[in-house]
């Protein structure tokens, strides 16, 4: 993080970086991105661009995650690379 403190925007690209940002944990549906990030949340303005390739997901409404997990049409949405998430966490 050294050297990034004054940044206007820090962009994280990719599934692996998303997993690093969120601890690579299978969070309960409805977990906020800030909760998943832990102490880094609010320290920098962060934009995360990610194509979903792993089970970990955070920052989406609980109802949406549960619907995506259970609907046949979205089967595999967490891992099949056909869905993505864009997340912005401002500096506090
Ligand atoms: O975001 P991208 O470029 O599609 O995926 C980045 C990546 O490092 O994340 C995955 C591991 O989580 C790898 O399969 C893949 O190479």
């Amino acid at each position: 993080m050294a050297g990034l403190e004054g940044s206007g925007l820090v962009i994280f690209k990719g599934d692996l970086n998303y997993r690093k940002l969120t601890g690579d944990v299978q969070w309960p549906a409805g977990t906020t991105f800030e909760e998943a990030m832990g102490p880094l949340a609010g320290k920098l303005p962060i934009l995360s661009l990610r194509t979903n390739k792993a089970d970990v997901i955070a920052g989406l409404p609980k109802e949406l995650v549960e619907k995506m997990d259970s609907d046949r049409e979205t089967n595999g949405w967490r891992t099949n690379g056909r869905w993505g998430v864009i997340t912005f966490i401002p500096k506090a």
Side-chain angles (χ1 to χ4, degrees):
M1 209 180 94
L4 294 177
E5 288 86 357
S7 301
L9 184 65
V10 179
I11 301 173
F12 287 80
K13 179 266 169 193
D15 186 73
L16 187 59
N17 284 323
Y18 183 95
R19 292 167 62 190
K20 288 178 183 171
L21 269 178
T22 55
D24 206 6
V25 169
Q26 196 161 355
W27 296 101
T31 301
T32 66
F33 204 83
E34 288 89 339
E35 284 177 274
M37 277 181 67
L40 185 59
K43 297 248 165 52
L44 305 163
I46 289 177
L47 177 67
S48 166
L49 308 171
R50 179 237 190 168
T51 302
N52 301 355
K53 294 179 179 171
D55 282 327
V56 57
I57 196 85
L60 297 181
K62 184 174 190 280
E63 299 71 26
L64 176 62
V65 172
E66 288 173 348
K67 186 173 181 346
M68 298 287 284
D69 282 342
S70 59
D71 279 5
R72 262 188 78 214
E73 304 83 62
T74 50
N75 187 36
W77 74 283
R78 290 173 180 254
T79 57
N80 64 15
R82 295 176 56 207
W83 296 82
V85 281
I86 299 173
T87 309
F88 176 67
I89 304 294
K91 187 173 178 175

